[in-house]
Amino acid sequence: MKKQGPDQFLAELILSESTKSVLVLSSSNLQPLIEKLEDSLERLMVIPSGDFNLQETFDMCIVLEDVQVSKTQLGLIKNSVAQKIVVIRESVDNKDHKSFLELGFAFDPEISFKKIYSYNLQTYNKKRGWNNSDGWANPENFEKFRW
């Protein structure tokens, strides 16, 4: 993997996901990132803290290391704000690592400049052939089969 800065990494990530709207939780200067993405995004909102009450949804939410969000806030983001979430941390202790994994986030150990956790609802729970309603819990099969 070639050496790249956080702005370049985020720009490539956003562009690779065909994202049209992004929410970024950060109080950092994001001007270089905004300039890279201004032609490809329809909407970009930056909120400087984890205290938010959003009524709108986004394709992706990025939480940078300068903003602390609780497990509850991450759950709210997952459930009502964005289906794709990237959390970037400078370092993570075992308790935080466990919290991210409990929420369904995946840790990417190949990225070395930061600790990256990601969540994508579309790829989180892969479809399984046996996990469907065919053949079980169907009233027409009651009395036909014994288990």
Side-chain angles (χ1 to χ4, degrees):
M1 177 180 277
K2 66 179 183 176
K3 182 81 170 154
Q4 62 183 358
D7 290 335
Q8 184 65 29
F9 169 77
L10 289 175
E12 288 178 11
L13 176 68
I14 291 168
L15 294 173
S16 72
E17 293 289 329
S18 301
T19 304
K20 295 297 178 193
S21 61
V22 177
L23 169 66
V24 181
L25 301 178
S26 176
S27 57
S28 301
N29 179 10
L30 298 175
Q31 195 59 36
L33 177 64
I34 292 170
E35 289 172 359
K36 289 178 184 181
L37 298 172
E38 65 186 353
D39 294 334
S40 59
L41 288 178
E42 293 174 6
R43 186 172 48 143
L44 174 68
M45 181 182 287
V46 179
I47 298 177
S49 71
D51 297 325
F52 57 89
N53 185 11
L54 293 172
Q55 301 301 321
E56 50 191 317
T57 60
F58 294 85
D59 293 336
M60 180 181 285
C61 177
I62 300 171
V63 182
L64 296 180
E65 65 265 12
D66 61 334
V67 172
Q68 293 299 318
V69 291
S70 68
K71 189 175 178 180
T72 303
Q73 289 171 320
L74 281 174
L76 290 172
I77 292 170
K78 278 178 49 178
N79 292 336
S80 60
V81 177
Q83 293 185 357
K84 298 175 189 173
I85 305 166
V86 177
V87 179
I88 301 174
R89 292 286 175 251
E90 189 71 38
S91 63
V92 177
D93 61 13
N94 284 340
K95 180 183 171 197
D96 288 340
H97 179 75
K98 184 178 176 185
S99 292
F100 284 124
L101 297 180
E102 287 172 351
L103 287 169
F105 282 78
F107 175 67
D108 192 346
E110 293 183 18
I111 300 172
S112 60
F113 67 91
K114 302 281 184 186
K115 305 292 183 200
I116 308 287
Y117 290 88
S118 62
Y119 175 83
N120 186 343
L121 182 63
Q122 296 170 347
T123 60
Y124 168 69
N125 194 4
K126 298 197 182 342
K127 276 248 188 243
R128 296 168 188 86
W130 57 266
N131 192 13
N132 59 48
S133 62
D134 294 339
W136 52 289
N138 294 324
E140 66 271 7
N141 288 335
F142 294 168
E143 305 300 324
K144 286 186 179 179
F145 304 103
R146 284 186 79 90
W147 290 279

